Amino acid sequence: MGRTYRVAIAGATGAVGTEMIRMLEKRDFPVADLRLLASERSVGVKLSFRGEPTPVEKLTEDSFRGVDMALFSAGAPRSREFAAAAVRAGAVVIDNSSAFRMRADVPLVVPEVNPEDAARHQGIIANPNCTTIIMVVALKPLHDISPIRRIVVSSYQSASGAGAKAMQELLDATRAAIEARPYTPTVLPHPYAFNLFSHNSDIGANGYCQEEMKMVHETRKILHDEEIRVCATCVRVPVLRSHAEAITIEQERKVRVDEALAALAAAPGVRVVDDRAGNTFPMPILSNEQDDVLVGRIRDDLSCDRGLALFVCGDQLLKGAALNAVQIAELLC
Ligand code: HSE
């Protein structure tokens, strides 16, 4: 029998944390022992792992004794507060928050794109922003044919990216709207039913929100190319758990549509959904609960001689978060 690992999940009761448990089960990760950690509020809750009710414990600095791998998805403040304690205890931290992503000593890893970076960790490996992960999985096979020089991307982001409470708010607000009842949003900043709005992260001095700037900086770090220019517009749409993105790229040389299709069809983690005759392309109901990023609508960019346009969709909770984190853990085995 191969080696088994003692694993902890910090933020185990959240939308991503519960999917991390499911991914460890589904991928048959060699778990010797699973420790579920969350805030005091969740102490007493039991979550099922491999058919066994597993108690949730309070996340403290002492939670990581004996732990080999600690998956964090409890938000950046909790990561800043507790990741160092996990590393001191000897665990490798795989952090889903934005706390450490841009630190030079922290690899930012998408296993289909830059798996080799994981080996350079010094205790912490960062899981990129979900919108960035989904985009780079689709773009890496094209970048390998001819380097991408410029990306223009518009995202259509699901409620799940803002957490389990935002998913519930979408359901509650939609029910209220259908029943013509008033509903006051408490999680997201604007009415969500039958509406969409600019991403709910703060807008910086340059007019871009944090989510958009994450796509700029993280894409460059993952692809090891500081020259790539990225212009992102991030939008929250009333979809439960898959992000979609309309992407146009400019490459060093013109890549033909058939070349792009062949590369994407052969790429790991990608499924081409490109049925022009049936007008069927990637959509959230096709990517929900799927591991692959769906890619389609691959066509020439009519505004740019060396450009291609495409549309992608990926499950925000899986490839955008929990699955990518567990794949990183697999790289360490
Ligand atoms: N930033 C993403 C979103 C989720 O707001 O949808 C976390 O990566």
Side-chain angles (χ1 to χ4, degrees), residues 129-130 157 161 199 211 236 243 316:
N129 174 44
C130 48
Q157 295 186 220
H199 188 275
E211 183 82 353
R236 189 74 69 191
H243 285 0
Q316 187 274 329

Side-chain angles (χ1 to χ4, degrees), residues 70-88:
L71 311 185
F72 270 70
S73 192
R78 291 280 163 281
S79 294
R80 285 193 201 97
E81 192 176 349
F82 294 107
V87 173
R88 273 198 305 277

Side-chain angles (χ1 to χ4, degrees), residues 225-285:
D225 189 343
E226 287 302 312
E227 302 298 310
I228 295 182
R229 290 174 299 160
V230 181
C231 177
T233 303
C234 291
V235 176
R236 189 74 69 191
V237 299
V239 163
L240 275 173
R241 61 176 290 161
S242 278
H243 285 0
E245 302 175 37
I247 306 170
T248 59
I249 56 171
E250 184 179 341
Q251 291 171 274
E252 267 182 26
R253 74 156 171 90
K254 173 64 195 162
V255 172
R256 295 186 320 273
V257 169
D258 64 314
E259 270 181 285
L261 268 169
L264 288 163
V270 169
R271 180 149 60 88
V272 173
V273 179
D274 199 68
D275 173 10
R276 292 182 178 184
N279 201 342
T280 298
F281 300 104
M283 50 185 156
I285 58 166

Side-chain angles (χ1 to χ4, degrees), residues 126-321:
N127 212 36
N129 174 44
C130 48
T131 322
T132 311
I133 295 177
I134 290 164
M135 180 170 82
V136 296
V137 168
L139 293 188
K140 177 65 164 57
L142 308 177
H143 190 61
D144 285 344
I145 302 177
S146 171
I148 293 170
R149 304 285 22 119
R150 177 169 179 246
I151 301 169
V152 180
V153 53
S154 299
S155 73
Y156 307 72
Q157 295 186 220
S158 59
S160 56
K165 290 196 176 110
M167 296 171 82
Q168 192 58 48
E169 178 153 291
L170 174 57
L171 294 170
D172 294 344
T174 305
R175 245 179 243 118
I178 289 168
E179 292 166 8
R181 282 186 285 110
Y183 181 90
T184 307
T186 58
V187 183
L188 287 165
H190 301 291
Y192 205 179
F194 308 105
N195 190 28
L196 53 83
F197 44 87
S198 183
H199 188 275
N200 47 288
S201 52
D202 292 344
I203 306 280
N206 66 359
Y208 287 83
C209 68
Q210 288 171 349
E211 183 82 353
E212 291 161 351
M213 292 314 295
K214 286 177 189 174
M215 296 192 78
V216 175
H217 299 304
E218 294 183 21
T219 299
R220 290 175 175 165
K221 180 166 175 175
I222 296 163
L223 293 176
H224 296 282
D225 189 343
E226 287 302 312
E227 302 298 310
I228 295 182
R229 290 174 299 160
V230 181
C231 177
T233 303
C234 291
V235 176
R236 189 74 69 191
V237 299
V239 163
L240 275 173
R241 61 176 290 161
S242 278
H243 285 0
E245 302 175 37
I247 306 170
T248 59
I249 56 171
E250 184 179 341
Q251 291 171 274
E252 267 182 26
R253 74 156 171 90
K254 173 64 195 162
V255 172
R256 295 186 320 273
V257 169
D258 64 314
E259 270 181 285
L261 268 169
L264 288 163
V270 169
R271 180 149 60 88
V272 173
V273 179
D274 199 68
D275 173 10
R276 292 182 178 184
N279 201 342
T280 298
F281 300 104
M283 50 185 156
I285 58 166
L286 295 179
S287 59
N288 286 348
E289 308 213 20
Q290 302 297 308
D291 290 355
D292 287 338
V293 170
L294 309 187
V295 184
R297 299 230 62 205
I298 301 144
R299 60 210 195 278
D300 290 320
D301 175 355
L302 299 181
S303 72
C304 171
D305 291 341
R306 286 172 286 109
L308 278 177
L310 52 151
F311 193 72
V312 309
C313 239
D315 188 306
Q316 187 274 329
L317 293 173
L318 297 187
K319 188 57 198 168

